[in-house]
Amino acid sequence: MRTFTDWVLRHRMVVGLTWLVVAVAGGALAPTTLDRLSYEFALPGQPAYETNIDIAKEFGGGGGTTDPLVVIVRGDEAQSGAVAIARSVEEAVDGTRTVTASAPGGQALTSADGQVSAAILYPPVTPGPEPYAAAQPQIEGVLAGFDAQAQNGADADLETDLTGFLLLAEGGGEGDRGVLVEVLLGGIGALVVLVLVFGSFLAGIPLLVAAVSILGTYLALLGLTGVTDVSFVVQYLVALIGLGVAIDYSLLVVTRWREERARGRDNDDAVRVAMQTAGTSVLFSGITVAISLAALIVVPLPFLRSIGLGGLLIPLLSVATSVTLVPALLSALGPRLQWPRKTPSSGRSRFWASVARAVLRRRWLTIIGSTALLLALAAPVAGLTLGSPQLDGLASDAPASTAATAAIDAGVPAGVLRPVEVLTASTDAGPLAEDLRRLDGVAAVAAPTEGWTTSGSGPGQSLMQVWFADDPASANGRDTLDQVRMTAAEAGARVGGSPAEDADFVSAVYGNVVWVVLAVVLVTFLLLARALRSFWLPVKALLLNVISIGAAYGVTVLIWQWGFGSELLFGQPATGVITTWVPIAAFAFLFGLSMDYEVFILSRIREAYDELGDVEGTDRAVVDGIAHTGRLVTSAALILFLAFIALSTVPAVEVKILATTLAIGIAIDALVVRGLLAPALVGVMGRANWTLPKVWAKLLRVSP
């Protein structure tokens, strides 16, 4: 690292200009990058997904991969109004597949009192954040014309509303507003924290480095989109996790530089020492985060693989800017940026030194209390349920939400918003339809004829819709889905629709997740063992990570699945489930980010132990390490926490759930795990912390 730093300092102008070009190019091409992001959730090889693709190919519309739009009609002649609207939409939007209460078996779409009726619409989809972006304005035009006729006297009592699961999941139709608002919120929070930490213009260096890192990551992301599809979720992760990680890494280096300056070193010498110590920690931390994100790359789903690949760019670019641009800026401008706080800080916090001493005086009590707290927070994980949000959890004051709620309250089946579609290998679907209607939980089975059957050289196919009495995301809905799939399989039919895809998603992602996690843990252990020259410190760090992530999962279940605080914090009811992809994505990010703080702390404790020697012991090293890193880790965690709070303002519910998990995980890890439990365990382990068996030392090529 010293040789590399010397090269950076000799060529600091070249380094600065290079990153300037990268930032300008990344900013100029950012709109192109965002336009190339994918909004598909493909599950290749999974039965429901493949069935949905065949449905879309044979019958048009969005197929089962995309939930339909639903028109709710209210009034005395609601059913005839819904039928008329469906016919008008078919004429206005070519290729639209519809089903109404007039279809065989479709009477459930009209309430018992005849005052509410629904028309299910499957218009053609378009690529992008809103699959019905092209068709929806045309459908709204049809509804506007129908409402105008009603106001002029014909069907004067009829009212119409457009709803659908997609509209509800987007926050009642808010849609995708882009990432700029969230970045501004996260950046303002970070600036406040950095000003409090530095009290000078040095606060600008981490923010500048973060901006360059984010723009550089977007530029690299543009190249990645030329090779593979990249999920739209990555834009939020790059902007906000990139903001936090880049600031954390540069903050570590700048803080150590300021500490060395306080000890009397000249500017460039202080930069070299900071890079040899903090810079090395940054390098190992970045590699650790990258390894944890590699867990997503091996998942057999393009959507999660793209998040892993895009996420990998975050630590790589953050490390690159922190070990090149930061030393170049400090060498050129560091002393002048210390205004108005002229006196360099020693970096040692009296508060955190006293915390460490208090923890060590009561180490066993701290271990027992902290562990009990974390296990209590993690306990709700036992009731974790994965799936798409339940309809109750998407309720809002938006017209799309109130219309859907009113229709369900009037007796229209809840499953109408997320139908299960059954594709038969025969044009005669009657016998199977009767079998499905007899199943518990099935409200109705519609078997339309026009546009819902195909015939060719073979026996032809028929498509049916199955509407559940309960929300498909509920426990009863999942049980009903299992019965439908079993009954359909016995008849040689296939089952599609988004509820079936959810079930396949869970089995595809989590079926072999244990082996993926074990592989990440093993590689991380080897890296930490080499960096810390210890066997038990990496073991302890990994165990703490598992407990910390478990606690984050548990609190997320409490808030979003069980509803404790969802109304207070987010202004909406509980979703009843946790979005299928959130736990694996949260694990990949939290595992790496939490290990960041562990590396920061343990590296400083190890450095102090090496300086003090075995005579003064582990306790002094723990106090010194926590005194120098406690404020740093807390500030870094606060910046990331604020970034995730900003992320939680995104309208999409699944992003809110992910942001909640990440924010809680970072807070628990920084305050409870690294602030209390980690130093207490290091104190208890004593000399065992610093031992590395000869076999491992030989394997890792380090001195024991």
Side-chain angles (χ1 to χ4, degrees):
M1 181 61 77
R2 185 178 182 89
T3 302
F4 176 76
T5 304
D6 287 339
W7 183 91
V8 169
L9 296 181
R10 287 196 305 271
H11 302 88
R12 65 189 188 190
M13 183 63 71
V14 174
V15 170
L17 289 175
T18 299
W19 283 115
L20 177 62
V21 171
V22 170
V24 171
L29 295 172
T32 304
T33 301
L34 297 180
D35 288 342
R36 293 189 179 182
L37 297 180
S38 170
Y39 288 79
E40 293 186 6
F41 292 82
L43 304 176
Q46 297 301 313
Y49 175 77
E50 297 297 341
T51 299
N52 287 332
I53 293 298
D54 289 343
I55 291 172
K57 180 180 177 181
E58 295 293 337
F59 298 95
T65 57
T66 307
D67 288 310
L69 294 175
V70 180
V71 176
I72 304 297
V73 182
R74 297 181 300 277
D76 291 337
E77 300 295 331
Q79 179 168 322
S80 61
V83 172
I85 287 173
R87 296 293 177 262
S88 297
V89 170
E90 289 176 356
E91 294 173 2
V93 186
D94 189 44
T96 298
R97 179 162 52 94
T98 68
V99 58
T100 64
S102 64
Q107 188 56 42
L109 291 179
T110 299
S111 61
D113 61 6
Q115 292 295 303
V116 179
S117 189
I120 299 177
L121 314 176
Y122 283 96
V125 300
T126 55
E130 300 175 15
Y132 296 133
Q136 187 172 333
Q138 295 175 276
I139 295 172
E140 290 171 345
V142 171
L143 297 184
F146 189 86
D147 290 339
Q149 290 179 9
Q151 292 176 3
N152 290 331
D155 300 324
D157 66 328
L158 293 183
E159 297 178 0
T160 65
D161 282 297
L162 184 64
T163 186
F165 185 78
L166 291 176
L167 299 183
L168 301 181
E170 290 170 355
E174 288 184 61
D176 178 36
R177 71 186 185 198
V179 74
L180 181 59
V181 174
E182 288 76 25
V183 173
L184 289 175
L185 290 173
I188 291 171
L191 178 61
V192 172
V193 174
L194 291 171
V195 168
L196 292 175
V197 170
F198 290 113
S200 69
F201 283 109
L202 279 175
I205 288 184
L207 274 178
L208 175 62
V209 171
V212 172
S213 176
I214 291 170
L215 293 173
T217 306
Y218 272 115
L219 185 62
L221 200 62
L222 178 60
L224 186 61
T225 60
V227 179
T228 183
D229 288 341
V230 178
S231 171
F232 75 98
V233 176
V234 174
Q235 66 177 310
Y236 299 110
L237 302 180
V238 166
L240 292 166
I241 296 182
L243 176 73
V245 170
I247 288 178
D248 284 3
Y249 290 170
S250 54
L251 178 62
L252 182 65
V253 175
V254 174
T255 301
R256 187 57 186 259
W257 168 84
R258 191 172 65 160
E259 184 181 326
E260 296 303 324
R261 288 281 291 163
R263 293 178 178 177
R265 296 185 186 274
D266 65 50
N267 188 42
D268 281 3
D269 194 30
V271 172
R272 292 184 180 92
V273 174
M275 291 302 297
Q276 282 182 276
T277 52
T280 302
S281 296
V282 165
L283 181 61
F284 274 102
S285 296
I287 293 173
T288 303
V289 175
I291 289 172
S292 66
L293 289 168
L296 296 180
I297 297 176
V298 299
V299 173
L301 297 177
F303 161 67
L304 284 175
R305 275 206 304 267
S306 74
I307 291 181
L309 288 169
L312 269 176
L313 298 175
I314 297 172
L316 295 181
L317 269 294
S318 297
V319 169
T321 51
S322 297
V323 301
T324 56
L325 185 56
V326 171
L329 290 173
L330 290 175
S331 176
L333 304 171
R336 280 174 282 182
L337 292 176
Q338 289 187 290
W339 187 87
R341 183 185 287 180
K342 291 291 187 180
T343 305
S345 171
S346 66
R348 183 181 175 87
S349 168
R350 293 181 180 178
F351 170 77
W352 282 103
S354 64
V355 169
R357 293 191 189 98
V359 166
L360 291 173
R361 281 196 300 270
R362 299 171 179 81
R363 61 193 69 187
W364 282 109
L365 180 61
T366 301
I367 291 171
I368 294 171
S370 299
T371 302
L373 173 62
L374 293 172
L375 291 177
L377 292 176
V381 173
L384 173 68
T385 302
L386 300 175
S388 293
Q390 293 183 15
L391 300 177
D392 290 344
L394 301 176
S396 69
D397 294 330
S401 178
T402 56
T405 301
I408 293 171
D409 290 344
V412 175
V416 163
L417 294 177
R418 299 186 65 207
V420 168
E421 299 202 298
V422 178
L423 182 63
T424 69
S426 169
T427 55
D428 182 14
L432 177 57
E434 289 301 321
D435 290 341
L436 293 173
R437 291 187 183 107
R438 286 192 288 267
L439 296 177
D440 291 336
V442 172
V445 178
T449 54
E450 184 179 349
W452 290 67
T453 59
T454 63
S455 59
S457 58
Q461 298 182 94
S462 180
L463 183 62
M464 296 181 292
Q465 284 218 328
V466 181
W467 303 317
F468 294 175
D470 298 299
D471 189 330
S474 67
N476 289 339
R478 291 190 295 274
D479 290 342
T480 303
L481 176 63
D482 291 339
Q483 296 180 62
V484 168
R485 297 186 91 163
M486 186 180 304
T487 303
E490 291 173 353
R494 297 186 291 159
V495 177
S498 65
E501 273 202 20
D502 281 352
D504 288 351
F505 191 107
V506 173
S507 61
V509 173
Y510 299 99
N512 297 308
V513 73
V514 172
W515 299 109
V516 175
V517 171
L518 288 177
V520 171
V521 167
L522 177 60
V523 177
T524 303
F525 168 80
L526 295 175
L527 275 174
L528 290 178
R530 178 177 174 80
L532 300 171
R533 305 193 311 281
S534 168
F535 180 85
W536 291 110
L537 283 179
V539 171
K540 174 194 69 66
L542 291 167
L543 288 175
L544 291 183
N545 251 24
V546 171
I547 297 175
S548 175
I549 294 173
Y553 285 169
V555 177
T556 302
V557 170
L558 276 176
I559 294 174
W560 282 108
Q561 185 174 320
W562 295 354
F564 291 94
S566 61
E567 288 276 9
L568 176 65
L569 296 174
F570 301 98
Q572 64 183 81
T575 57
V577 297
I578 302 302
T579 305
T580 49
W581 56 268
V582 164
I584 185 68
F587 166 81
F589 283 100
L590 280 179
F591 188 89
L593 294 174
S594 299
M595 199 60 73
D596 265 0
Y597 302 142
E598 187 76 1
V599 171
F600 294 169
I601 294 170
L602 293 182
S603 296
R604 197 60 189 255
I605 293 175
R606 177 81 216 206
E607 182 182 336
Y609 181 82
D610 290 342
E611 290 179 359
L612 295 169
D614 195 46
V615 176
E616 297 187 67
T618 298
D619 284 9
R620 281 282 305 277
V622 170
V623 172
D624 189 73
I626 297 297
H628 281 95
T629 60
R631 182 167 55 189
L632 171 67
V633 167
T634 305
S635 300
L638 180 57
I639 290 170
L640 265 177
F641 179 80
L642 293 175
F644 294 141
I645 293 298
L647 182 62
S648 71
T649 65
V650 171
V653 175
E654 63 267 24
V655 179
K656 289 180 182 290
I657 298 175
L658 174 64
T660 302
T661 309
L662 295 177
I664 291 169
I666 289 297
I668 290 174
D669 191 81
L671 296 177
V672 180
V673 176
R674 313 304 166 187
L676 300 175
L677 190 52
L681 286 171
V682 173
V684 166
M685 291 163 64
R687 292 188 64 182
N689 290 293
W690 322 113
T691 59
L692 183 64
K694 292 182 179 180
V695 174
W696 285 99
K698 185 176 181 181
L699 174 66
L700 299 172
R701 298 183 180 180
V702 295
S703 57

PDB file of all heavy atoms in Angstrom, residues 46 57 69 105 143 185 214 216 295 319 336 338 366 394 410 422 460 482 486 503 536 586 642 657 669 681:
ATOM      1  N   GLN A  46     -38.803 -22.110 -14.367  1.00  0.00           N
ATOM      2  CA  GLN A  46     -39.814 -22.354 -13.334  1.00  0.00           C
ATOM      3  C   GLN A  46     -41.175 -22.579 -13.998  1.00  0.00           C
ATOM      4  O   GLN A  46     -41.538 -21.874 -14.945  1.00  0.00           O
ATOM      5  CB  GLN A  46     -39.880 -21.184 -12.362  1.00  0.00           C
ATOM      6  CG  GLN A  46     -38.594 -20.958 -11.584  1.00  0.00           C
ATOM      7  CD  GLN A  46     -38.189 -22.174 -10.774  1.00  0.00           C
ATOM      8  OE1 GLN A  46     -39.007 -22.776 -10.070  1.00  0.00           O
ATOM      9  NE2 GLN A  46     -36.926 -22.557 -10.873  1.00  0.00           N
ATOM     10  N   LYS A  57     -48.073 -15.766 -25.184  1.00  0.00           N
ATOM     11  CA  LYS A  57     -47.818 -16.053 -26.596  1.00  0.00           C
ATOM     12  C   LYS A  57     -49.088 -16.505 -27.319  1.00  0.00           C
ATOM     13  O   LYS A  57     -49.354 -16.082 -28.450  1.00  0.00           O
ATOM     14  CB  LYS A  57     -46.741 -17.132 -26.698  1.00  0.00           C
ATOM     15  CG  LYS A  57     -46.393 -17.526 -28.125  1.00  0.00           C
ATOM     16  CD  LYS A  57     -45.306 -18.608 -28.127  1.00  0.00           C
ATOM     17  CE  LYS A  57     -44.992 -19.061 -29.550  1.00  0.00           C
ATOM     18  NZ  LYS A  57     -43.963 -20.132 -29.554  1.00  0.00           N
ATOM     19  N   LEU A  69     -55.310  -5.159 -15.203  1.00  0.00           N
ATOM     20  CA  LEU A  69     -56.026  -3.972 -14.755  1.00  0.00           C
ATOM     21  C   LEU A  69     -57.483  -4.374 -14.535  1.00  0.00           C
ATOM     22  O   LEU A  69     -57.994  -5.267 -15.223  1.00  0.00           O
ATOM     23  CB  LEU A  69     -55.942  -2.857 -15.788  1.00  0.00           C
ATOM     24  CG  LEU A  69     -54.543  -2.270 -16.041  1.00  0.00           C
ATOM     25  CD1 LEU A  69     -54.594  -1.262 -17.185  1.00  0.00           C
ATOM     26  CD2 LEU A  69     -53.985  -1.625 -14.783  1.00  0.00           C
ATOM     27  N   GLY A 105     -69.163 -18.896 -15.806  1.00  0.00           N
ATOM     28  CA  GLY A 105     -68.506 -18.985 -14.509  1.00  0.00           C
ATOM     29  C   GLY A 105     -68.058 -17.649 -13.951  1.00  0.00           C
ATOM     30  O   GLY A 105     -67.489 -17.590 -12.859  1.00  0.00           O
ATOM     31  N   LEU A 143     -62.898   5.075 -20.216  1.00  0.00           N
ATOM     32  CA  LEU A 143     -63.659   5.313 -18.988  1.00  0.00           C
ATOM     33  C   LEU A 143     -64.149   6.754 -18.913  1.00  0.00           C
ATOM     34  O   LEU A 143     -65.272   7.009 -18.450  1.00  0.00           O
ATOM     35  CB  LEU A 143     -62.792   4.985 -17.760  1.00  0.00           C
ATOM     36  CG  LEU A 143     -62.339   3.530 -17.614  1.00  0.00           C
ATOM     37  CD1 LEU A 143     -61.570   3.332 -16.316  1.00  0.00           C
ATOM     38  CD2 LEU A 143     -63.535   2.585 -17.663  1.00  0.00           C
ATOM     39  N   LEU A 185     -31.966  13.666  -0.267  1.00  0.00           N
ATOM     40  CA  LEU A 185     -32.267  13.468   1.149  1.00  0.00           C
ATOM     41  C   LEU A 185     -31.095  12.805   1.874  1.00  0.00           C
ATOM     42  O   LEU A 185     -30.690  13.235   2.955  1.00  0.00           O
ATOM     43  CB  LEU A 185     -33.526  12.618   1.306  1.00  0.00           C
ATOM     44  CG  LEU A 185     -34.852  13.270   0.896  1.00  0.00           C
ATOM     45  CD1 LEU A 185     -35.980  12.249   0.955  1.00  0.00           C
ATOM     46  CD2 LEU A 185     -35.166  14.450   1.798  1.00  0.00           C
ATOM     47  N   ILE A 214     -20.331   7.440  -7.135  1.00  0.00           N
ATOM     48  CA  ILE A 214     -21.667   7.113  -7.638  1.00  0.00           C
ATOM     49  C   ILE A 214     -21.726   7.298  -9.151  1.00  0.00           C
ATOM     50  O   ILE A 214     -22.233   6.430  -9.887  1.00  0.00           O
ATOM     51  CB  ILE A 214     -22.731   7.980  -6.941  1.00  0.00           C
ATOM     52  CG1 ILE A 214     -22.861   7.573  -5.475  1.00  0.00           C
ATOM     53  CG2 ILE A 214     -24.079   7.847  -7.639  1.00  0.00           C
ATOM     54  CD1 ILE A 214     -23.711   8.518  -4.651  1.00  0.00           C
ATOM     55  N   GLY A 216     -19.242   7.307 -11.257  1.00  0.00           N
ATOM     56  CA  GLY A 216     -18.402   6.277 -11.877  1.00  0.00           C
ATOM     57  C   GLY A 216     -19.092   4.931 -11.903  1.00  0.00           C
ATOM     58  O   GLY A 216     -18.976   4.167 -12.872  1.00  0.00           O
ATOM     59  N   ALA A 295     -22.996 -13.617  -3.482  1.00  0.00           N
ATOM     60  CA  ALA A 295     -24.025 -14.613  -3.176  1.00  0.00           C
ATOM     61  C   ALA A 295     -25.206 -14.477  -4.119  1.00  0.00           C
ATOM     62  O   ALA A 295     -25.856 -15.467  -4.469  1.00  0.00           O
ATOM     63  CB  ALA A 295     -24.489 -14.451  -1.727  1.00  0.00           C
ATOM     64  N   VAL A 319     -13.984   1.690  -3.144  1.00  0.00           N
ATOM     65  CA  VAL A 319     -12.597   1.432  -2.759  1.00  0.00           C
ATOM     66  C   VAL A 319     -11.638   2.172  -3.693  1.00  0.00           C
ATOM     67  O   VAL A 319     -10.666   2.801  -3.256  1.00  0.00           O
ATOM     68  CB  VAL A 319     -12.298  -0.075  -2.771  1.00  0.00           C
ATOM     69  CG1 VAL A 319     -10.799  -0.333  -2.650  1.00  0.00           C
ATOM     70  CG2 VAL A 319     -13.039  -0.773  -1.638  1.00  0.00           C
ATOM     71  N   ARG A 336      -5.420  23.022   4.128  1.00  0.00           N
ATOM     72  CA  ARG A 336      -6.240  24.216   3.904  1.00  0.00           C
ATOM     73  C   ARG A 336      -7.720  23.949   4.175  1.00  0.00           C
ATOM     74  O   ARG A 336      -8.482  24.875   4.444  1.00  0.00           O
ATOM     75  CB  ARG A 336      -6.058  24.710   2.463  1.00  0.00           C
ATOM     76  CG  ARG A 336      -4.772  25.514   2.249  1.00  0.00           C
ATOM     77  CD  ARG A 336      -4.563  25.846   0.789  1.00  0.00           C
ATOM     78  NE  ARG A 336      -4.051  24.695   0.048  1.00  0.00           N
ATOM     79  CZ  ARG A 336      -3.749  24.713  -1.242  1.00  0.00           C
ATOM     80  NH1 ARG A 336      -3.926  25.821  -1.946  1.00  0.00           N
ATOM     81  NH2 ARG A 336      -3.269  23.641  -1.838  1.00  0.00           N
ATOM     82  N   GLN A 338      -8.898  22.328   6.667  1.00  0.00           N
ATOM     83  CA  GLN A 338      -9.168  22.172   8.102  1.00  0.00           C
ATOM     84  C   GLN A 338      -9.776  23.421   8.728  1.00  0.00           C
ATOM     85  O   GLN A 338     -10.072  23.431   9.925  1.00  0.00           O
ATOM     86  CB  GLN A 338      -7.880  21.781   8.838  1.00  0.00           C
ATOM     87  CG  GLN A 338      -7.447  20.357   8.525  1.00  0.00           C
ATOM     88  CD  GLN A 338      -6.277  19.923   9.382  1.00  0.00           C
ATOM     89  OE1 GLN A 338      -5.150  20.395   9.222  1.00  0.00           O
ATOM     90  NE2 GLN A 338      -6.543  19.030  10.305  1.00  0.00           N
ATOM     91  N   THR A 366     -22.761  -7.777  29.883  1.00  0.00           N
ATOM     92  CA  THR A 366     -22.972  -7.179  28.561  1.00  0.00           C
ATOM     93  C   THR A 366     -23.255  -8.250  27.518  1.00  0.00           C
ATOM     94  O   THR A 366     -24.154  -8.104  26.681  1.00  0.00           O
ATOM     95  CB  THR A 366     -21.742  -6.362  28.141  1.00  0.00           C
ATOM     96  OG1 THR A 366     -21.511  -5.328  29.105  1.00  0.00           O
ATOM     97  CG2 THR A 366     -21.951  -5.728  26.774  1.00  0.00           C
ATOM     98  N   LEU A 394     -51.656  -2.667   1.057  1.00  0.00           N
ATOM     99  CA  LEU A 394     -51.488  -1.676  -0.001  1.00  0.00           C
ATOM    100  C   LEU A 394     -52.576  -0.615   0.039  1.00  0.00           C
ATOM    101  O   LEU A 394     -52.660   0.232  -0.857  1.00  0.00           O
ATOM    102  CB  LEU A 394     -51.489  -2.368  -1.369  1.00  0.00           C
ATOM    103  CG  LEU A 394     -50.407  -3.436  -1.579  1.00  0.00           C
ATOM    104  CD1 LEU A 394     -50.592  -4.110  -2.938  1.00  0.00           C
ATOM    105  CD2 LEU A 394     -49.022  -2.827  -1.473  1.00  0.00           C
ATOM    106  N   ALA A 410     -67.974  -5.407  -1.080  1.00  0.00           N
ATOM    107  CA  ALA A 410     -69.303  -5.677  -1.644  1.00  0.00           C
ATOM    108  C   ALA A 410     -69.496  -7.138  -2.011  1.00  0.00           C
ATOM    109  O   ALA A 410     -70.621  -7.557  -2.328  1.00  0.00           O
ATOM    110  CB  ALA A 410     -69.533  -4.799  -2.873  1.00  0.00           C
ATOM    111  N   VAL A 422     -55.244 -21.105 -15.448  1.00  0.00           N
ATOM    112  CA  VAL A 422     -55.010 -22.534 -15.688  1.00  0.00           C
ATOM    113  C   VAL A 422     -55.079 -22.788 -17.188  1.00  0.00           C
ATOM    114  O   VAL A 422     -56.090 -22.474 -17.837  1.00  0.00           O
ATOM    115  CB  VAL A 422     -56.045 -23.399 -14.950  1.00  0.00           C
ATOM    116  CG1 VAL A 422     -55.813 -24.878 -15.259  1.00  0.00           C
ATOM    117  CG2 VAL A 422     -55.971 -23.147 -13.445  1.00  0.00           C
ATOM    118  N   GLY A 460     -55.587 -28.311 -29.474  1.00  0.00           N
ATOM    119  CA  GLY A 460     -55.951 -26.977 -29.028  1.00  0.00           C
ATOM    120  C   GLY A 460     -55.758 -26.812 -27.533  1.00  0.00           C
ATOM    121  O   GLY A 460     -55.429 -27.755 -26.802  1.00  0.00           O
ATOM    122  N   ASP A 482     -52.021 -24.343  -3.578  1.00  0.00           N
ATOM    123  CA  ASP A 482     -51.474 -25.709  -3.577  1.00  0.00           C
ATOM    124  C   ASP A 482     -52.523 -26.701  -4.083  1.00  0.00           C
ATOM    125  O   ASP A 482     -52.200 -27.622  -4.863  1.00  0.00           O
ATOM    126  CB  ASP A 482     -51.023 -26.091  -2.161  1.00  0.00           C
ATOM    127  CG  ASP A 482     -49.803 -25.308  -1.714  1.00  0.00           C
ATOM    128  OD1 ASP A 482     -49.081 -24.786  -2.586  1.00  0.00           O
ATOM    129  OD2 ASP A 482     -49.576 -25.219  -0.489  1.00  0.00           O
ATOM    130  N   MET A 486     -52.313 -28.950  -7.579  1.00  0.00           N
ATOM    131  CA  MET A 486     -52.404 -30.408  -7.508  1.00  0.00           C
ATOM    132  C   MET A 486     -53.534 -30.927  -8.406  1.00  0.00           C
ATOM    133  O   MET A 486     -53.353 -31.889  -9.174  1.00  0.00           O
ATOM    134  CB  MET A 486     -52.640 -30.838  -6.062  1.00  0.00           C
ATOM    135  CG  MET A 486     -52.610 -32.340  -5.834  1.00  0.00           C
ATOM    136  SD  MET A 486     -52.889 -32.749  -4.077  1.00  0.00           S
ATOM    137  CE  MET A 486     -51.585 -31.788  -3.298  1.00  0.00           C
ATOM    138  N   ALA A 503     -44.738 -18.471  -5.559  1.00  0.00           N
ATOM    139  CA  ALA A 503     -44.380 -19.744  -4.926  1.00  0.00           C
ATOM    140  C   ALA A 503     -43.127 -20.333  -5.565  1.00  0.00           C
ATOM    141  O   ALA A 503     -42.237 -20.846  -4.869  1.00  0.00           O
ATOM    142  CB  ALA A 503     -45.548 -20.723  -5.031  1.00  0.00           C
ATOM    143  N   TRP A 536      -9.921 -16.981  15.912  1.00  0.00           N
ATOM    144  CA  TRP A 536     -11.175 -16.796  16.633  1.00  0.00           C
ATOM    145  C   TRP A 536     -11.830 -15.452  16.369  1.00  0.00           C
ATOM    146  O   TRP A 536     -13.061 -15.342  16.468  1.00  0.00           O
ATOM    147  CB  TRP A 536     -10.946 -16.988  18.141  1.00  0.00           C
ATOM    148  CG  TRP A 536     -10.649 -18.410  18.472  1.00  0.00           C
ATOM    149  CD1 TRP A 536      -9.464 -18.943  18.880  1.00  0.00           C
ATOM    150  CD2 TRP A 536     -11.562 -19.507  18.372  1.00  0.00           C
ATOM    151  NE1 TRP A 536      -9.570 -20.297  19.055  1.00  0.00           N
ATOM    152  CE2 TRP A 536     -10.850 -20.671  18.753  1.00  0.00           C
ATOM    153  CE3 TRP A 536     -12.893 -19.624  18.010  1.00  0.00           C
ATOM    154  CZ2 TRP A 536     -11.449 -21.933  18.772  1.00  0.00           C
ATOM    155  CZ3 TRP A 536     -13.489 -20.872  18.032  1.00  0.00           C
ATOM    156  CH2 TRP A 536     -12.769 -22.011  18.416  1.00  0.00           C
ATOM    157  N   ALA A 586     -31.160  -8.418   1.224  1.00  0.00           N
ATOM    158  CA  ALA A 586     -30.743  -7.763   2.466  1.00  0.00           C
ATOM    159  C   ALA A 586     -29.547  -8.483   3.083  1.00  0.00           C
ATOM    160  O   ALA A 586     -28.623  -7.849   3.607  1.00  0.00           O
ATOM    161  CB  ALA A 586     -31.906  -7.715   3.452  1.00  0.00           C
ATOM    162  N   LEU A 642     -29.290   7.056   7.495  1.00  0.00           N
ATOM    163  CA  LEU A 642     -30.044   8.140   6.875  1.00  0.00           C
ATOM    164  C   LEU A 642     -30.258   7.885   5.383  1.00  0.00           C
ATOM    165  O   LEU A 642     -31.305   8.235   4.821  1.00  0.00           O
ATOM    166  CB  LEU A 642     -29.312   9.467   7.091  1.00  0.00           C
ATOM    167  CG  LEU A 642     -29.249   9.954   8.549  1.00  0.00           C
ATOM    168  CD1 LEU A 642     -28.394  11.204   8.655  1.00  0.00           C
ATOM    169  CD2 LEU A 642     -30.645  10.215   9.097  1.00  0.00           C
ATOM    170  N   ILE A 657     -39.687  -2.064   2.113  1.00  0.00           N
ATOM    171  CA  ILE A 657     -39.379  -3.189   3.000  1.00  0.00           C
ATOM    172  C   ILE A 657     -37.877  -3.452   3.020  1.00  0.00           C
ATOM    173  O   ILE A 657     -37.280  -3.676   4.089  1.00  0.00           O
ATOM    174  CB  ILE A 657     -40.154  -4.445   2.561  1.00  0.00           C
ATOM    175  CG1 ILE A 657     -41.666  -4.194   2.653  1.00  0.00           C
ATOM    176  CG2 ILE A 657     -39.763  -5.646   3.417  1.00  0.00           C
ATOM    177  CD1 ILE A 657     -42.517  -5.328   2.118  1.00  0.00           C
ATOM    178  N   ASP A 669     -26.446  -3.248  14.305  1.00  0.00           N
ATOM    179  CA  ASP A 669     -25.062  -3.690  14.216  1.00  0.00           C
ATOM    180  C   ASP A 669     -24.106  -2.676  14.838  1.00  0.00           C
ATOM    181  O   ASP A 669     -23.196  -3.044  15.582  1.00  0.00           O
ATOM    182  CB  ASP A 669     -24.688  -3.918  12.743  1.00  0.00           C
ATOM    183  CG  ASP A 669     -23.355  -4.619  12.606  1.00  0.00           C
ATOM    184  OD1 ASP A 669     -23.325  -5.851  12.737  1.00  0.00           O
ATOM    185  OD2 ASP A 669     -22.344  -3.925  12.386  1.00  0.00           O
ATOM    186  N   LEU A 681     -16.838  -9.507  23.946  1.00  0.00           N
ATOM    187  CA  LEU A 681     -16.348 -10.837  23.553  1.00  0.00           C
ATOM    188  C   LEU A 681     -14.837 -10.848  23.362  1.00  0.00           C
ATOM    189  O   LEU A 681     -14.166 -11.816  23.745  1.00  0.00           O
ATOM    190  CB  LEU A 681     -17.051 -11.286  22.276  1.00  0.00           C
ATOM    191  CG  LEU A 681     -18.511 -11.731  22.435  1.00  0.00           C
ATOM    192  CD1 LEU A 681     -19.159 -11.948  21.079  1.00  0.00           C
ATOM    193  CD2 LEU A 681     -18.583 -13.009  23.265  1.00  0.00           C
TER     194      LEU A 681
END
